[in-house]
Structure formats: C-alpha cells, structure tokens
Amino acid sequence: MLDVGKWPIFSLCSEEELQLIRQACVFGSAGNEVLYTTVNDEIFVLGTNCCGCLGLGDVQSTIEPRRLDSLSGKKIASLSYGSGPHIVLATTEGEVFTWGHNAYSQLGNGTTNHGLVPCQISTNLSNKQVIEVACGSYHSLVLTSDGEVFAWGYNNSGQVGSGSTVNQPIPRRVTGCLQNKVVVTIACGQMCCMAVVDTGEVYVWGYNGNGQLGLGSSGNQPTPCRVAALQGIRVQRVACGYAHTLVLTDEGQVYAWGANSYGQLGTGNKSNQSYPTPVTVEKDRIIEIAACHSTHTSAAKTQGGHVYMWGQCRGQSVILPHLTHFSCTDDVFACFATPAVSWRLLSVEPDDHLTVAESLKREFDNPDTADLKFLVDGKYIYAHKVLLKIRCEHFRSSLEDNEDDIVEMSEFSYPVYRAFLEYLYTDSISLSPEEAVGLLDLATFYRENRLKKLCQQTIKQGICEENAIALLSAAVKYEAQVRKACFQQLAWRSGTEVPASYLKLK
C-alpha cells in the first residue's frame, strides 16, 4: 500500500492525520507544498504557499494542515501543477478550478494576477466535462469526456497548440490534426504537450529543443503533429519528464525520446534521442510508466510487480533501468527524485489488514467470540480462555480444569479488573493514577511484574498536588519509588525539602 509518509513534507503531519489521507499531491520547486483529501472528503493544504498556491486566500506559509474550505464538498478526479506553482484541478463532476502563479495566464481566467483562491474556469468549458488535467511549467491542458483537448497559458514555444507563440489567457480548443480525433489521455513536459488518441497514435506540439517531441528534429512545433516513427505501434499511455517523453504500448513495451543528460531515457548512455527508442526493462510486460515535468527521473512497473527507475537519482545518473525494492512507482519520486514531488495524484487505499496484535485488541470484551465471562460488580467482562492461559500464569493454572463459562470476581473493582484483562490483550493500560493503585495491588497478587511497572509509571506520571496525599495513603504498601514520588510532590507543595531518609528508600 502507498505510504505517503515517504515524502518529507508529510513529516509535518501527525500519525492520526496521515491515517485519514485518501488522495494527495506533493508539489512545489522543493516539494514543500502538498494538497490532500481525507476519508471525510475534506481537502487540506500544507507548506510554503508560494504565490498563494495553497489556495487559502493569502501567501502565508503553514506547517500545520489547513482546510481548503472553498472546495468543500468537491471530489477530485484529476490534479496537476506547474512550476510557479499553479494548480489545475478537475472534480468528479467535470468542473475545473485553478489557482496559484499566473504571470503567463496559466490559470485561464483571462488575467495575469496570481490566484489566491480556487477559481472555477468555465470560459469555453461551460458545457464540457473535464476528465483529465495536465500542467507544464507555465501552461495548462485539459481533456474532456468527448475527447477534446483545451489549452491555455505560456506559449513561447507553441505549447498551447494555437499555431502562434502568443500567450493564451483563456481555454482554447486544440484542433489542427486533432480536429476529428478522440483523445484518450494527455501529458505535459516543461514546455510541450502530448495527446494519445483512441487509435493509439501520439500527437505532439510545443518546445522540441531536446527532441522531446520525437519527430526526428529539434524544431518547435506550434500545432499538433503525429509521431510518425510510432507507425503501427498502438500507444496506451504517455508520460513526460522535464524534457523527455515515455510511452507505453498495448504490448507492454516502453519507448523513450528527448533529453538524456541524466540517463532518463534508460538507453545506457547520455545522448539525446529525437526518435522513439525502445527501453529494455526486463522480459516481463510493463503495465505502468511514470515521469514528471519537474524532474529528470523515469520509472516503470512490470506485470509481476517489480518497479524500476532510471535517470536522476539523488544527484547520480542512472543510465539503465534499475530494479528497486519499491512496490509502486510513486515511491521512486518520493525517495529518489529531485525535487521529491508526486508525478500524479496519489491514491491511498484504506488498509483493512489487521496485524495479530490489532486483531487481539479488537476481540477484547467481545461477547460474540468469547468463551468466558467475568462477573465483577454486577457487570460482565468477556474474554477468551486460551488467550488468558497463554498470557498469564495465574490463569494457566486456574483455568486448566475449569469448564465454567462464568467466573465471579469480588476481590477487585470492575474498572481495575477490566483494565487487567484488557492489558492481557493490548500490553497497555489506560487508568487514572487512583485506579492504577488498585491495579498495582492486583498485579502484585498475580505476580505480573511488567504490569506492576506500568502501574508505577502511571501513578508517578499522574501525581499532582490534589491527589498526592490520597495516593501516598493508598501506596504505602507498594514499591518505594511510588511513595518517594508522592513525598516529592508533597514537599514541592509545601515548599520544603524531602527528608534524606525518604529519598534513600529503595
């Protein structure tokens, strides 16, 4: 299962917060911003908030997660980010929201003002349902449910596909060779775009200085052009790095082209390629490829579950696919890429698997599975004979030939005895200091030395001015360290020193 904790930014979240995450996207020039959704369909953001990219209405950074109330009730279908950064988000209802850096009109709202809060983009999209979004450094691309592509933003190299190099302030449909085509998936490099149509053909446009369009040249392309070198090959997926491109065919083969200064093409050298070049990973079929426009790293996953990476890896150049110990391509970007960002919207499936310890905790006091009941103060506590015999020497002997299913207990109170039985299931206790004194008595009676130490720790940590006298009275027959702690609290209360004879108690 995906572990979002592998991204450094999530170290700012508590373990409880991490357990609630269901979707996440780590972005920013240093991987210092994140947006995530929770099991409650709430959206939270965290990080440096450059250009208002957290969408909170200000540019204040935050080390604590803040809820993005302006998107309350919205469910995310697709999300991407630029270098500014700017954010483009599509909801499950097909709406598009943008915010963040906007110096090149990459938000599509007709201005060049940074967007501090999410703004719905409806111009030319009002009757469209957007199903996928992609961002280059400063331009944006969306795909609609009817296979149309719209682009806007920075256009110095033709990356908007309009045939010119004038920036595009609002969504404009990309036509030309795509006019009568049905696009099924899209991707963006730093300043280029890719579209795969339903026939498996790949169309490209934008910057091509490193051969990242795969056209056999290095000239920019201001309108969509088919990658002729892939004739007869049916492509299913496309992924773009900063200046390189990967495609995955229906036969599980990977092709790469473009910049290769870090070995990101996986060809065994660092020479750029302007034509699609096969990448040899292993004999197993490839089912997933991964790249991100802000990194020079590539990754792939095989049908057998093996994950490979190549390209930039923490300052090193890996020129051939390298087998990792990861189970998903997302981990490659969390641990190896610079910056540590996510290459797609992360999806975290709930982990329904329970460890043995978790299963035992769940079964404590469960009447549906128990075969033994303790009657204490008129209340039942449900337990399992075999576990009690395994965990406690007292029960191992007392339950050996006992076929009764009810045991009456009058020596200890209900809270104390329930805490004792729960300890046998969980290895922990949760009691007030006063009740812990009673449990200490029980632990002494049953010769449970570890439980005695837990009780002593609970009592010592819970001693305060109000309960010190009561605890001292109750603890006089127990370990000296408990009495000593009581004396110290009483001395602090009265402003006197503890007699040396008490401090020497062992």
Side-chain angles (χ1 to χ4, degrees), residues 347-467:
S347 179
V348 184
E349 297 297 327
D351 188 2
D352 296 327
H353 172 73
L354 294 177
T355 64
V356 173
E358 290 168 338
S359 298
L360 291 180
K361 288 180 181 180
R362 179 172 290 192
E363 292 308 310
F364 170 65
D365 204 14
N366 184 354
D368 295 332
T369 60
D371 58 0
L372 182 65
K373 293 185 291 186
F374 289 89
L375 182 59
V376 188
D377 295 341
K379 302 176 184 177
Y380 283 119
I381 307 171
Y382 297 88
H384 305 77
K385 290 182 180 179
V386 64
L387 184 140
L388 299 185
K389 290 197 288 186
I390 290 173
R391 293 279 288 150
C392 179
E393 182 65 35
H394 166 77
F395 287 124
R396 191 173 298 128
S397 58
S398 65
L399 296 176
E400 182 61 36
D401 299 317
N402 190 339
E403 297 182 359
D404 295 338
D405 58 1
I406 298 179
V407 175
E408 293 189 23
M409 175 59 58
S410 57
E411 289 84 354
F412 301 98
S413 68
Y414 174 83
V416 166
Y417 209 75
R418 190 181 192 282
F420 168 57
L421 294 176
E422 186 173 13
Y423 160 77
L424 297 179
Y425 282 76
T426 66
D427 264 336
S428 62
I429 62 173
S430 179
L431 285 175
S432 67
E434 292 80 5
E435 291 174 331
V437 172
L439 186 57
L440 180 60
D441 189 14
L442 183 153
T444 303
F445 181 76
Y446 285 163
R447 298 180 180 178
E448 290 287 335
N449 292 329
R450 183 177 181 278
L451 180 57
K452 287 174 61 177
K453 292 180 180 179
L454 286 178
C455 292
Q456 292 164 355
Q457 183 179 3
T458 298
I459 295 168
K460 289 174 65 177
Q461 291 177 345
I463 293 174
C464 62
E465 182 178 343
E466 288 74 19
N467 64 14

